[in-house]
Amino acid sequence: MGSRRKARECALQMLFAADFAEAVPEEVLKTYWVELGDSDVEETAREFATRLAAGTLSRLEILDERIRSRAEHWRIPRMAIVDRNILRLAVYEFLYEPTPRTVAINEALEIARRFSTYEATQFINGILDAIKRDLDEQQPQEHVQPEEVEQPPDDESDETQED
């Protein structure tokens, strides 16, 4: 697994902890790496994960409004905690990170496959695709460079892993 994917998974865990425990975001961010975080995560991935989680937590209202606009017949509190936080994380990347939107969607779907259900993956894909279309109409991402992709050795899966 690429370090940026691992960072996104760590960010999701921080968001989940903050959401589930209704904890103070600063406390979750401060204690995550000491109590829950994977000690094998590289420093750059830790920084990326913490930036994603902190940014997402500081803009929940904006992110939830974007999600709400495309989640027909779904209220945010009624969504599974994992699913709503995967959506929040991806929408945060759409709006505030230089990540190509397609990459953010693909990463969200891979994480959803690992932490949620097949149906949730379809649900997440539909909402993120609709939000991406809205954003592409408003502010196209013309000059964003794709994230580097790490190719697995020939004897492993054909799927690409993000660096």
Side-chain angles (χ1 to χ4, degrees), residues 4-122:
R4 289 180 69 88
R5 165 94 40 85
K6 182 64 179 169
R8 287 180 178 98
E9 290 182 0
C10 292
L12 174 64
Q13 292 171 350
M14 287 183 243
L15 296 175
F16 183 94
D19 196 352
F20 183 77
E22 297 179 3
V24 176
E26 293 79 21
E27 285 299 313
V28 171
L29 297 173
K30 193 163 54 172
T31 61
Y32 175 79
W33 295 108
V34 174
E35 296 178 11
L36 303 170
D38 185 343
S39 61
D40 295 335
V41 177
E42 299 171 11
E43 186 59 33
T44 55
R46 284 177 182 240
E47 291 169 4
F48 182 57
T50 303
R51 185 176 77 233
L52 290 176
T56 299
L57 290 168
S58 70
R59 294 174 176 90
L60 284 179
E61 286 184 33
I62 294 166
L63 303 174
D64 285 354
E65 186 52 42
R66 285 277 181 178
I67 295 164
R68 195 175 350 298
S69 73
R70 288 310 196 154
E72 297 175 19
H73 311 295
W74 279 93
R75 293 190 329 248
I76 303 288
R78 298 277 308 179
M79 293 178 190
I81 295 174
V82 170
D83 301 344
R84 72 175 165 241
N85 284 296
I86 290 171
L87 288 165
R88 287 168 170 166
L89 190 57
V91 175
Y92 173 80
E93 281 200 72
F94 284 176
L95 297 173
Y96 302 104
E97 291 288 327
T99 308
R101 292 177 183 138
T102 302
V103 170
I105 290 174
N106 289 337
E107 288 297 302
L109 296 177
E110 288 301 319
I111 292 169
R113 285 183 187 101
R114 180 159 184 217
F115 291 101
S116 197
T117 65
Y118 175 76
E119 293 80 12
T121 304
Q122 293 176 315

Side-chain angles (χ1 to χ4, degrees), residues 138-156:
Q138 297 166 5
Q139 47 186 310
Q141 273 189 317
E142 297 170 5
H143 303 292
V144 175
Q145 296 297 318
E147 292 183 348
E148 291 183 29
V149 176
E150 174 183 310
Q151 297 292 328
D154 292 333
D155 59 340
E156 290 186 23

